[in-house]
Amino acid sequence: MENILRPIYQERASHTNTLAIIMIEKRNQTSPLTDNLDVALLVIVNEAEQALFVKHYEYEEKKASLTVMTKDDLNESILLGTNRRIVDWILNGKILFDRNEYIIELIDRLKTFPFSERKMKIGIEFAKLVRRYLEGKEFFESMQLLDTYNHVVHALHHLARLEVIDRGYYPEVTVWNQVKQIEPQIYKLYKELVESEESLEKRLELLFLASDFLIHSKIEIGAAHILTVMSEKDSWYYDELYQHPELKYYSVDLSVLLEFLVEKQYISIERKQTKGKGIYHRIYFLEKKY
């Protein structure tokens, strides 16, 4: 298949804008990694009008995809985990073209996982964990058990990913295989939720009790990034935090994380009078520096 696709990727490699080309072959009969196509080609470019576009090809019953992605979109995808196949593609794919060792250096970065990137990624996962957990708790209080279950599974998934990142690894698509080795306690919680013979209500009730403790124990790690950013100056309006180049990746989860940290007394509130009578701006600040 590589020989068949050679004209396609060689034409891409001739462009000075192209940084690297990787080929990923279908491993199993069912292969979500390649969208069940026989081969996936990833072309990383310096810049493009579109951050991402995909083409599909077919030759003698063989199917292939070509994904062209800018380096900025690639880095954001790795950071946010929005396309979890990407890390697998980079680490396990076959390098067909590599300008100035771009991919070699990227692979080294992924394997060493720099602390600054790890800290931000943990913060993003922690914010998602808090949102899913609180939403699940709200559903549980109104006895919407299936919706509760859905949110709790997602919360556990974010907790698992946070634990994997904290140990210095990128979470894989098969994150529970990683967690089983790294943190058996979280893996056991997940197993009890999905396999226990207790009623769903009882399973969820027990899991919330355990999760309360686990989330509380992860606050120092999970909130380290946002608290470090906030220590850059004395006080912040919400929009200043939302527009910060590092905190912008928290997106809609930033607000719920702030309120959670206010409740846990890691962040304090100061009120400033607006032009409206009895209406105040909320200003966020830290009691101590991080």
Side-chain angles (χ1 to χ4, degrees), residues 114-128:
F115 180 72
S116 59
E117 292 182 25
R118 198 187 317 167
K119 194 173 180 181
M120 184 192 297
K121 199 167 174 65
I122 286 172
I124 293 167
E125 287 295 338
F126 187 69
K128 293 180 185 297

Side-chain angles (χ1 to χ4, degrees), residues 157-174:
H157 197 77
H158 290 304
L159 183 61
R161 286 170 58 80
L162 188 157
E163 193 66 44
V164 170
I165 296 164
D166 188 41
R167 300 298 181 94
Y169 303 102
Y170 274 88
E172 298 170 1
V173 176
T174 54

Side-chain angles (χ1 to χ4, degrees), residues 26-285:
K26 185 177 182 179
R27 297 175 187 167
N28 304 301
Q29 187 65 30
T30 302
S31 180
L33 187 67
T34 61
D35 293 332
N36 271 344
L37 303 176
D38 296 287
V39 174
L41 286 175
L42 173 64
V43 179
I44 304 165
V45 297
N46 193 43
E47 55 187 19
E49 291 182 6
Q50 288 179 251
L52 172 73
F53 75 90
V54 182
K55 289 185 176 182
H56 283 186
Y57 299 92
E58 187 170 322
Y59 179 83
E60 293 183 351
E61 299 183 1
K62 295 288 186 179
K63 297 165 289 184
S65 67
L66 172 74
T67 300
V68 180
M69 178 181 283
T70 65
K71 65 177 183 180
D72 289 340
D73 193 53
L74 175 72
N75 288 329
E76 187 169 304
S77 182
I78 292 170
L79 175 65
L80 301 181
T82 50
N83 187 343
R84 291 172 192 163
R85 297 178 304 174
I86 290 295
V87 172
D88 195 324
W89 285 8
I90 292 167
L91 292 178
N92 301 311
K94 181 178 181 179
I95 301 172
L96 301 178
F97 174 76
D98 190 13
R99 189 183 304 279
N100 300 324
E101 297 192 332
Y102 171 83
I103 279 293
I104 297 298
E105 291 177 5
L106 178 58
I107 289 171
D108 183 60
R109 195 184 99 205
L110 289 174
K111 288 182 176 178
T112 56
F113 206 165
F115 180 72
S116 59
E117 292 182 25
R118 198 187 317 167
K119 194 173 180 181
M120 184 192 297
K121 199 167 174 65
I122 286 172
I124 293 167
E125 287 295 338
F126 187 69
K128 293 180 185 297
L129 165 62
V130 169
R131 175 174 289 281
R132 285 292 193 172
Y133 173 75
L134 293 177
E135 288 177 347
K137 208 163 189 179
E138 181 185 15
F139 281 123
F140 186 67
E141 288 167 359
S142 61
M143 294 305 292
Q144 303 295 319
L145 297 183
L146 291 178
D147 287 308
T148 305
Y149 180 87
N150 179 48
H151 279 72
V152 168
V153 167
H154 278 91
L156 282 175
H157 197 77
H158 290 304
L159 183 61
R161 286 170 58 80
L162 188 157
E163 193 66 44
V164 170
I165 296 164
D166 188 41
R167 300 298 181 94
Y169 303 102
Y170 274 88
E172 298 170 1
V173 176
T174 54
V175 70
W176 288 109
N177 284 335
Q178 290 176 290
V179 174
K180 186 177 182 180
Q181 306 299 322
I182 292 170
E183 184 46 81
Q185 184 182 9
I186 296 174
Y187 181 78
K188 185 180 177 183
L189 273 181
Y190 180 72
K191 290 273 286 183
E192 287 177 352
L193 176 64
V194 299
E195 294 183 357
S196 172
E197 294 182 2
E198 295 272 10
S199 69
L200 181 56
E201 182 180 354
K202 186 66 175 176
R203 274 182 278 162
L204 291 168
E205 184 181 349
L206 292 172
L207 194 119
F208 275 119
L209 289 172
S211 296
D212 275 334
F213 170 77
L214 280 173
I215 292 172
H216 184 77
S217 71
K218 298 296 180 186
I219 293 177
E220 294 284 346
I221 297 168
H225 177 248
I226 187 173
L227 297 178
T228 300
V229 170
M230 290 185 68
S231 67
E232 292 174 5
K233 62 178 195 168
D234 292 335
S235 61
W236 300 78
Y237 287 99
Y238 177 76
D239 190 59
E240 291 178 313
L241 291 168
Y242 190 78
Q243 299 298 333
H244 190 281
E246 291 190 23
L247 298 183
K248 67 181 182 180
Y249 295 113
Y250 286 65
S251 188
V252 296
D253 299 316
L254 178 62
S255 181
V256 73
L257 177 60
L258 278 174
E259 288 307 301
F260 179 78
L261 294 175
V262 168
E263 179 188 330
K264 300 299 181 183
Q265 299 182 335
Y266 282 81
I267 295 174
S268 296
I269 298 293
E270 185 179 286
R271 301 195 306 171
K272 182 178 179 180
Q273 180 71 55
T274 68
K275 294 178 181 179
K277 186 178 179 181
I279 301 174
Y280 300 88
H281 291 293
R282 297 187 94 202
I283 301 172
Y284 299 90
F285 67 96

